[in-house]
Amino acid sequence: MTAAGDRRVVITGIGVIAPGGVGVKDFWQLLTDGRTATRRISFFDPSPFRSQVAAEVDFDPELHGLRPQEIRRMDRAAQFAVVTARQAVRDSGLEFDALDPLRTGVTIGSAVGATMGLDQEYRTVSDGGRLDLVDHRYAVPHLYNYLVPSSFAAEVAWAVGAEGPVSVVSTGCTSGLDAVGYAAEVIREGTADVMVAGATDAPISPITVACFDAIKATTPRNDDPEHASRPFDASRNGFVLGEGAAVFVLEELSVARARGATIYAEVAGYATRSNAFHMTGLRPDGREMAEAIRVALAEARLDPEDIDYVNAHGSGTKQNDRHETAAFKRSLGEHAWRVPVSSIKSMIGHSLGAIGSIEIAASVLAMTHHVVPPTANLHNPDPECDLDYVPLVARDWRTDAVLSVGSGFGGFQSAMVLARPDRDRR
Amino acid sequence: MSTAQTGSFTDDDLRRILREGAGSDESVDLDGDILDSTFEELGYDSLALLETGSRIEREYQITLEDDAVSGVRTPRELIDLVQQRLAARPS
Amino acid sequence: MTARAVVTGLGIVASNGIGRDAYWAATLAGRSGIGRITRFDPTPYPARLAGEVSGFAAEELLPSRLLPQTDRMTRFALVGADWAFADAGIRPQELPEFDMGVATASHAGGFEFGQNELKALWSRGGQYVSAYQSFAWFYAVNSGQISIRNGMRGPSSVVVSDQAGGLDAVAQARRQIRKGIPLMVAGAMDSSICPWGWVAQIACGRISVSEAPDRAYLPFDAEACGYVPGEGGALLIIEEADHARRREAPQVYGEIAGYAATFDPRPGSGRDSGLRRAIEQALRDAEIPPDGIDVVFADAAATPELDQVEATAITGVFGPGGVPVTAPKTMTGRLYSGAAPLDLAAALLSIRDGIIPPTTHVRLADRYEIDLVRNAPRTAPVRAALVLARGYGGFNSAMVVRAPT
């Protein structure tokens, strides 16, 4: 066994559910076509709300192998997690039944847990909000699984047979980066050899739409849903809510090599910092995100110039896109103007805790195909956002190392460096 | 008491709604002469203003457009804005 | 050499005592905080007892501006962090901002805040939902608010693994210390004693329906009939050992010496729970043999099957009656994520004072071969303690704390 300290962590399996496509192939096709999956909300009548657009997934759980009882007891976000975990396991070619279950763990990120299930159940037990003393006799038997989203990690652990460290990481909109970062650390420190890690969220529910309406964080561009998500564009006016999941198989490098696994990328560096400023606000200087990027690069033993592509948070709110543009300049220096930067939220919306993992998937696929996905709907950049955001059209581009970042409510700023394991390191 | 029914919006209405929706900074005398202080000086951030705007809209049944509220800097400006909307309300 | 993580400050909120000294005095005296729910009328529900925190005056302890935007559990967390810093003799604004991080666990987020906004949404409409709902209920809120209040710009994280999460958060803090962050606030505060939270908790089928506060929560008793939920928890200041020494910290309670987490085999597999393996791995991690552990703070689920699993795991590692076992949570109820950090605090105070707090009201059932510290505290030198925590679904975490060296 490789000694702790020398242990390196690689991605050997990918599963994705995203708006516009279930599975890696459809997901990557949508991104490289530059198509958008945003539309008028169909899950409920959105007309009472300020923002009426979202990026919804067309998902039939039965079609993806979930049994009726699993479907009944799992919130949609848990269903996403289990289906993508199974995709990732299949993709990895790893024989999970032959693994030591105690050396196999699960980390699932989620910002808002079983929001859809809770919203529906509250409506029922409160009889449409009429009862203060909500009626337990109308509750579903699995309501506790909605209450505590660690049930998501439990479901995945059962699905893959993991009996090592299992947990949910919930750091708002950086959950998807932080969950993979957490799992990589668990392997690196020697606690586990294989981790099934990623993130899921299915927040498209009246309570979520209402709470973002209240702070005008989501776009009111209801007359043009397909072009509603406009990161870095001067006309951007809020993010588009999305849903989905991405889950990966992470392994220690030498073990993956020994079994001849297809290695997508190394989780080469990761860090998170807090802005300690405001629960929803960002300081314009991007200082804490820049610090997270600096530490992640140092951990990867790479220089800013080694980064071939930056997968941005790019949510499409006024403050975010300027904040992170400043953070890139602060951390990457002159290279910030040279490296392609793009936001896939322009196509698949912002799925809160899930998006960080979905963006890792996009970053890894960019390395696999040497293609950088575009920023859709970017016709007229904000003058304060003056980097190369790969507008509208995907770009053929030699990509051996990617920086992916996230920023979220609570002040969390996270950065991950994904790179080919055989690269030159400082 | 709310003056919503009488169709006017006073500085005391604003004080009450600020306290209910956003609390008040211990270093600020909200009952003092606050009309021309900025909300920032009074310890209120953008979230506090959004919450305050939303409470005013609900209580007074008026609509405050996004840009209108975000452009307001002081209590006096907010009170003037609300008064204008109240005056424009069909009776 | 690997950096060592030591605990230098404690902030405690529990139903039998608010603040470190009040909690510890009540716990040694065997005073329970369990009673009939007062925060809403529990009459319609099958379960009516809880460990409610009363007399917590948030409006005196926190700025007024924070109150409309915080759930009860966040108020506990902000005040708990303040007290932990004060106990550690630290003014966070005087430390380098990137040198401090936060690691909390959450069980259900700010559920009462969420309840009120769901009610506003469904009874009156979306425009009645608060501007603070977007973060006040979510699982990450306590880490975010603590970092903001104290200017902590280092790494922050949040784990959710039901009741086991409290230890997982402290372990995450130790990980950050080992990666070079000098100081972390770690632990958890939870509270979901509101009608909507109550209904969701009842659904797990493990809540005691007894109406007698002294007969309701009886782990390892033949009459075990489920647990009583409580609210509160503990936040700990965790420091790199040399950092604490250099700044001459007023006290070092002990070291986070070992930790492990396992997950039970999937239901129906017929294989044993992973709890015993978590204990064994945590001891190995601490490099302490079983006979080096002076007390075990049990998870104490108080259902016959789960008590059996825990007693079997403990006797499997330590031998029948091989180590004193206690469950002071019989006085506070189970605090979900908050429970294990509170047990860690109690374990560290046991180390400090050489006294093991009791398990109250329990008559030990014959089938459990454990040395349960019952009714009265037991004087004994405590050099190392093991804290256990389990979460619904199969989460097992174990942590070893040992006396400062």
Side-chain angles (χ1 to χ4, degrees), chain A residues 119 129 134 144 158 168 287, chain C residues 45 97 119 122 160 162 266:
Chain A
D119 198 354
V134 298
Y144 192 89
W158 292 330
V168 159
R287 196 161 148 265
Chain C
Y45 303 114
E97 55 196 5
K119 181 170 176 64
W122 289 112
V160 181
D162 199 54
R266 58 168 84 89

Side-chain angles (χ1 to χ4, degrees), chain B residues 26-90:
Chain B
E26 275 72 9
S27 64
V28 170
D29 177 14
L30 204 57
D31 292 317
D33 184 12
I34 60 163
L35 287 180
D36 295 307
S37 304
T38 64
F39 282 109
E40 196 181 339
E41 286 163 356
L42 298 172
Y44 294 112
D45 59 5
S46 58
L47 271 182
L49 274 187
L50 283 166
E51 177 68 16
T52 300
S54 165
R55 284 171 182 256
I56 293 171
E57 286 184 312
R58 275 146 30 189
E59 187 172 322
Y60 290 85
Q61 299 185 338
I62 56 172
T63 301
L64 302 171
E65 305 75 23
D66 297 0
D67 294 348
V69 178
S70 60
V72 159
R73 290 175 59 251
T74 65
R76 189 186 302 280
E77 289 172 14
L78 180 54
I79 291 165
D80 287 349
L81 174 71
V82 175
Q83 291 287 16
Q84 282 170 25
R85 291 297 178 280
L86 284 170
R89 197 168 58 174

Side-chain angles (χ1 to χ4, degrees), chain C residues 148-216:
Chain C
I148 293 168
R149 180 166 168 78
N150 299 291
M152 307 167 77
R153 298 199 155 88
S156 285
S157 51
V158 182
V159 291
V160 181
S161 21
D162 199 54
Q163 181 124 335
L167 293 183
D168 299 340
V170 175
Q172 176 65 6
R174 184 180 70 155
R175 222 170 249 140
Q176 297 295 1
I177 299 273
R178 287 176 167 178
K179 292 192 80 175
I181 302 297
L183 183 146
M184 298 286 295
V185 171
M189 295 282 182
D190 264 323
S191 171
S192 40
I193 305 178
C194 60
W196 171 223
W198 200 244
V199 162
Q201 289 174 68
I202 288 170
C204 80
R206 293 179 181 173
I207 311 261
S208 172
V209 297
S210 166
E211 297 219 44
D214 58 351
R215 302 307 298 153

Side-chain angles (χ1 to χ4, degrees), chain A residues 237-260:
Chain A
N237 58 4
F239 75 87
V240 173
L241 191 60
E243 60 171 353
V247 173
F248 308 95
V249 173
L250 305 184
E251 292 179 73
E252 201 277 315
L253 172 64
S254 64
V255 177
R257 275 191 176 140
R259 75 175 180 90

Side-chain angles (χ1 to χ4, degrees), chain C residues 299-321:
Chain C
D299 172 65
T303 64
E305 312 80 62
L306 289 167
D307 285 351
Q308 186 68 62
V309 166
E310 187 167 32
T312 303
I314 292 170
T315 49
V317 174
F318 297 95

Side-chain angles (χ1 to χ4, degrees), chain A residues 123-144:
Chain A
R123 195 180 173 202
T124 304
V125 297
S126 69
D127 204 15
R130 275 182 279 278
L131 301 176
D132 280 325
L133 291 174
V134 298
D135 194 337
H136 63 284
R137 293 169 304 175
Y138 287 88
V140 290
H142 45 270
L143 182 57
Y144 192 89

